[in-house]
Amino acid sequence: MDIVDFLRGGFEIIVLWMIFYQLYRAFRESRAAAILAGLVTIVALGGFILHLTGATVLQSIAGAILGPGTLLVILFQPELRTALAKLGSNRVLAKLWKQEENQDLVARICDSVSYLVSKRFGALIAISRSNKLSEFVKTGTKLDAVCSRELLGTIFHPKTLLHDGAVIVNNERIVAAGCILPVTGRELKDRSLGLRHRAGIGVAEVSDAVVIIVSEETGTVSLVVGNMMQRDVSVSMLSTRLTELIYHYASHEIDQKTDAA
Amino acid sequence: MRLKLQRYAVKLSRNWKPKLITLGLAVVVWLIVSSVNSENAEADIDDTRIVIPE
């Protein structure tokens, strides 16, 4: 074996390793991991035994079952669907396909915020972008619901169990409510900013999420992205900014009307 | 540079079990596929032999 063959073999093994490891990472939190492990064991053991014994008829039957990949499609149907959904939510593809839905999301959020302001309900909504905020989703109550005024109004009603935490919106759906977000450790000039604002600033510091905060005391709306906070945002301004920040993701530098620090 | 390598080593050693298992699987799959390929190549050579009738 010359050096070129050796390097080619090494390269092929590394590529295979990366593929297997990424598959493992994608499937580890689902039932598919166990199915995959079972399938690998059966195929490896079966292949080994068939190869040793030279049972040609059994070999061709096994090949006919596994060959077309039908079994894999049946076994991994939910995962394939999830993978396709993930592919579909890719930012580039989302720009091609999801313009209308994103704008619809913005409209629904603005409608909800308008309702929350009118009712003077405090609210904290984090809309994820490339960072899916999964570590904070775990701290709350998981949901998978379409964003609507009725739902957000119910969640943030002061007499409900979930009203104290944050709502996380991921891929245009409310994925969790009552989430605990990290509170910023920064010294804030404005003393009127409470814990809800501190949590909103905190999550924006550690992720690229767009955070909307409705103050319970003043009924004002604040928008936080990165290190910048825009206060007293009107609903029409919120709609414009959200469209820019969520749909036109590239331009996510928020105008510095008021610096939180 | 050394610190960078150390950091990389720490990163690589994290979650080492699945990494090792998947590496082993990759090696096994590669060995099986390459042996099957070489068998097929040999068979192709056998098929192309010119048999001279006696």
Side-chain angles (χ1 to χ4, degrees):
Chain A
M1 183 189 275
D2 61 15
I3 187 81
V4 178
D5 282 341
F6 182 75
L7 287 176
R8 192 184 295 142
F11 174 72
E12 285 172 347
I13 288 173
I14 288 171
V15 170
L16 270 177
W17 179 29
M18 284 165 73
I19 292 169
F20 288 154
Y21 187 63
Q22 290 308 319
L23 278 174
Y24 159 78
R25 284 186 61 186
F27 288 154
R28 69 183 159 178
E29 280 171 10
S30 69
R31 213 159 54 93
I35 297 171
L36 193 66
L39 195 68
V40 166
T41 313
I42 290 170
V43 170
L45 268 177
F48 186 67
I49 291 165
L50 289 177
H51 193 70
L52 276 186
T53 55
T56 48
V57 176
L58 284 179
Q59 265 184 27
S60 46
I61 290 169
I65 295 169
L66 289 173
T70 324
L71 190 65
L72 290 172
V73 172
I74 294 166
L75 286 174
F76 296 111
Q77 192 206 11
E79 282 70 29
L80 286 172
R81 284 169 61 181
T82 313
L84 287 172
K86 271 189 182 174
L87 180 73
S89 60
N90 173 285
R91 218 186 327 142
V92 178
L93 289 176
K95 275 189 177 178
L96 288 173
W97 296 99
K98 292 197 170 177
Q99 179 177 359
E100 217 170 281
E101 283 183 38
N102 268 331
Q103 286 174 345
D104 191 29
L105 173 78
V106 169
R108 276 183 270 140
I109 285 182
C110 288
D111 185 29
S112 311
V113 167
S114 167
Y115 175 76
L116 293 166
V117 168
S118 70
K119 292 282 175 187
R120 283 284 179 99
F121 290 168
L124 177 55
I125 304 165
I127 305 165
S128 75
R129 292 194 290 180
S130 65
N131 182 324
K132 298 297 172 202
L133 307 173
S134 46
E135 65 268 42
F136 307 121
V137 169
K138 285 176 196 163
T139 63
T141 302
K142 281 191 182 173
L143 298 171
D144 183 21
V146 175
C147 193
S148 69
R149 188 180 71 161
E150 290 78 11
L151 183 59
L152 284 171
T154 307
I155 289 171
F156 289 116
H157 189 285
K159 294 217 190 285
T160 62
L161 289 173
L162 297 174
H163 83 280
D164 258 345
V167 156
I168 295 179
V169 178
N170 195 342
N171 288 336
E172 295 158 34
R173 292 179 79 83
I174 296 176
V175 287
C179 300
I180 299 160
L181 301 182
V183 177
T184 183
R186 282 196 294 165
E187 184 81 20
L188 301 177
K189 280 178 188 170
D190 191 342
R191 291 281 167 192
S192 68
L193 297 175
L195 205 60
R196 187 173 280 127
H197 285 85
R198 284 185 158 277
I201 296 166
V203 74
E205 280 172 353
V206 297
S207 70
D208 64 347
V210 178
V211 186
I212 302 162
I213 306 153
V214 180
S215 170
E216 204 169 346
E217 288 82 24
T218 59
T220 55
V221 181
S222 305
L223 186 65
V224 189
V225 182
N227 289 325
M228 299 301 168
M229 179 186 240
Q230 194 172 348
R231 300 191 65 192
D232 289 333
V233 184
S234 66
V235 175
S236 61
M237 172 65 90
L238 183 71
S239 171
T240 314
R241 296 299 292 141
L242 286 181
T243 308
E244 282 171 14
L245 292 163
I246 299 170
Y247 177 54
H248 306 295
Y249 179 50
S251 59
H252 71 98
E253 278 295 311
I254 193 162
D255 294 336
Q256 188 181 348
K257 271 199 175 173
T258 312
D259 191 344
Chain B
M1 183 67 189
R2 203 179 146 200
L3 196 70
K4 226 176 183 179
L5 278 174
Q6 272 180 345
R7 268 190 208 153
Y8 188 70
V10 168
K11 203 178 167 188
L12 204 67
S13 64
R14 223 177 275 153
N15 212 7
W16 62 272
K17 258 188 192 171
K19 280 179 187 162
L20 197 68
I21 292 167
T22 46
L23 177 62
L25 189 67
V27 172
V28 169
V29 168
W30 185 83
L31 283 174
I32 291 170
V33 172
S34 63
S35 78
V36 169
N37 279 349
S38 63
E39 271 175 26
N40 285 345
E42 278 171 24
D44 285 345
I45 291 166
D46 285 346
D47 289 344
T48 54
R49 272 189 316 188
I50 299 164
V51 182
I52 302 164
E54 287 176 16

